[in-house]
Amino acid sequence: MGRSPISGRTSGWFFVPAILAILSAGADTGYAQTPFPVQWGQAVNATSTGSAIQKTAGCGGCSDAGGTSVQALTAGDGYIEFSPGPGARLYAGLGSNATSNTDPAQIQYAFSFWADGGWDVRERNAYRTEGRFVSGDLFRVAVVSGQVKYYQNGSLVYSSSVLPTFPLVLDTTLIDSGATLSSAAITAEPVVTPPASTITIQTATLPSTRVAQAYSTALSAMGASGALRWTIVGGALPAGLGLDPSAGTIVGSATAGGTFPVTIRAAEATNPLNATDRAFEMSVLAEAPPSVYDAMTDRAARAKGTPPALGGAGFNFSDPVFGTRMMRVTSGAVRPGALDRSYRTPSSTHANAWSAGGSLFYTVSTDGTIVPFAFDRATMRAARLQPTTSGDGGLTLDFFNEPTFSYVVPGVAYGTFSGSGSNLRSIDQYDFSTGRYSQLLNLDALVPNLAGTYTGGLGVSAGAVERLFAFFGGTAQDRHFYLVVFDRNNAANRRLVDTVASTIDGVPSNIPLNFKIHAANIDRSGRYVMLYPTGADLQAPRSAAPVYVWDVETGTFTALPLGEARAGGHDAYGYGDRVNQDCCTSSTWDAAQWQYRLLATPLTTFDLIAPVLSPKEIYLADHPSWHNAQPDRLVPFIEANYRYGANSVPWRAWDEELLGIQTDGAGGGATVWRFAHHRSLVADDLDPSRISFWYTPRPNVSPDGHWALFTSNWDKTLGTDPRGEAGASNRQDVFLVELKRNVATLPVVVTTTILPGGMVSKTYSASLQASGGSGAFIWSVANGALP
């Protein structure tokens, strides 16, 4: 937050020579002996008095106020120190984001203070450690021999593993009304500055948008004596969006997903030296998913026939039966240093393999190596990141377990870091935009005696508050018994379950649990967490239910018995709802039946298929994927089924196909869209009566609902994997199938919301944009008249 003493953007261009001269004079003097009172740069929604600063405007409880020091640490050793006022939420620390951005995630090394007297260390808002403080305590963030260290009243409380990059200023974010920082000092000499700008950009964040969605937001500023002119002075808006320089509005329709840093300047039109800058990050999520598809919906049985001949990785072709576009994503040459390995979608379809913007996905190799790809939806092409011709062939991710992408932050994936220094007991994130890993939660800080254990699995929600969960505490699969749920941006807000002791935060749960955890999941709203007991706990004497639903808000558990709750089969979750392959509420029994339920009333279910197929089939299983679920409407989930065992039933419609199943027709007969045969023979190589798990197709749908990844051994024609396990030696590759939107159902919408102003006798040109329909547009004036 605040402004840079190097660029001088908020104070005009005359600031640069004086600052450079003063900062370079003592650059190599080492750890300064005497700190100087902080001189505050232009404050946002705050008032500075001497070395103190206080929030005096803005929204109470919002991250929309603060200031930065004019002085900066530029090299060597040095420190900042300060005293936080009690009873209010604020951040203070060393930061290099020298703009007026008040986002606490922009502060590299910060103490975060809470109104109840708690503090925690945050690095770009990633939790590190925590403690307590009282009024008058003095905190220090110092650079000592190239390492950042944190002190409270002279005692070391944390040493950072993230190397500092200079220059660094004292950066603050004041959240609660009246939040105050006093006695602020820095080991850098005071500087002399020209008169500061009187303009303040009040807009704190830019709302996110979706690809192809109409977008309009207005920027606001105060302190100008006349008209403003708005310009972009750093970064860029997403393609398809533009900034009106006179109105200060951002309008258009984004054409690609991702995170886009942009710095915007507000200046007086008649006095451009009176200007201020503010840095933003704008997120563009994947396009809104369709509710219907352009695909076959009949019930005619269609044999898959002879598999099409395949080219190498990147080969595009069409399914010979359904005509759907497909692509082979991987081949045995993906990793030159590990030839002929298999590549798969995540073992659990609950793990989101797609980035929130839809431009990245990952695959998993035989040995667990995570291989990410960049995806161009316009050309339907995937490419390795940071490609090489040797070794792993490009970027791989250092995660111990299968990661899951964030649903709301483009280009961020969560997992357990497995690189240098890891103990496999942390929840971490990887940011593709910076190439950096950062820790969100240290599990050793939650419970004692975790040595020798590891994180079993994790997942993430997509609600207004992004929540993560992880289960842990065991030395091997099916031995874990702890589960934690926490807010991504506030790890201190968390709940801890001990399933063996049947407690929540040490308090007995409403029903006995008394089981260990095989798997867990969280719904997209972040309110409901599902726990799946181990196979041993499903048997006598425990005889646990197959699923337990934990309502995090009420703290209550509900057991879903297999028969009574129709809780069997693999499942997928939306915003407060669940689908699973089980039968039946009102139909006759058949394996191709799915149940829909609201998690608020999890014992009440509805059949999705009516009528069921004939003849009856039993030996049919599936894996569903619902990463395209939405909070405001139901959309189809994507699934792939597979026949297994001694299945003598004649080939039926939907057998071994990739399908989309309607969810908003529960109880009335769902439409089933048929896309392609997945062509993965699931029979174990050594015992055809059994399945090999790695041969199952496990689809993973993109957030925009336009694409699905899946695993296939292509009828066991892809060669052998030298590291394949017994019974699964045939190679598997990852394939991509296009799920074609039914564009005829989309209404035509004019996405341009504002026409730029013009001038008399000057040539004028403006382009209009629209979405929907199924072809070219014809434009006409329907009402009023152009000038």
Side-chain angles (χ1 to χ4, degrees), residues 645-660:
N647 193 335
S648 60
V649 174
W651 195 270
R652 307 191 314 174
W654 312 343
D655 281 356
E656 304 203 352
E657 294 180 18
L658 292 153
L659 307 170

Side-chain angles (χ1 to χ4, degrees), residues 401-420:
N401 40 30
E402 292 176 345
T404 187
F405 273 104
S406 170
Y407 290 106
V408 297
V409 184
V412 167
Y414 305 116
T416 295
F417 179 62
S418 60
S420 177

Side-chain angles (χ1 to χ4, degrees), residues 625-667:
S625 178
W626 211 5
H627 302 302
N628 55 325
Q630 295 297 293
D632 57 345
R633 60 191 173 91
L634 288 171
V635 297
F637 68 91
I638 306 303
E639 80 109 32
N641 62 52
Y642 47 92
R643 295 163 64 107
Y644 64 93
N647 193 335
S648 60
V649 174
W651 195 270
R652 307 191 314 174
W654 312 343
D655 281 356
E656 304 203 352
E657 294 180 18
L658 292 153
L659 307 170
I661 300 177
Q662 181 186 12
T663 53
D664 58 0

Side-chain angles (χ1 to χ4, degrees), residues 40 46 51-55 60-67 81-93 102-105 107 109-122 125 133-135 137 139 170-184 489-490:
W40 294 103
S51 63
I53 189 169
Q54 182 179 42
K55 181 170 183 175
C62 300
S63 304
D64 60 355
E81 62 183 17
F82 44 80
S83 288
R89 183 88 171 93
L90 72 148
Y91 288 72
T102 57
D103 181 0
I107 307 178
Y109 312 97
F111 277 103
S112 163
F113 300 99
W114 297 82
D116 64 357
W119 62 258
D120 43 54
V121 170
R122 297 295 183 106
N125 220 7
F133 76 103
V134 296
S135 179
D137 280 1
F139 290 83
L170 170 53
D171 195 349
T172 64
T173 299
L174 308 175
I175 298 176
D176 290 345
S177 298
T180 303
L181 196 76
S182 61
S183 303
N489 291 328
N490 179 17

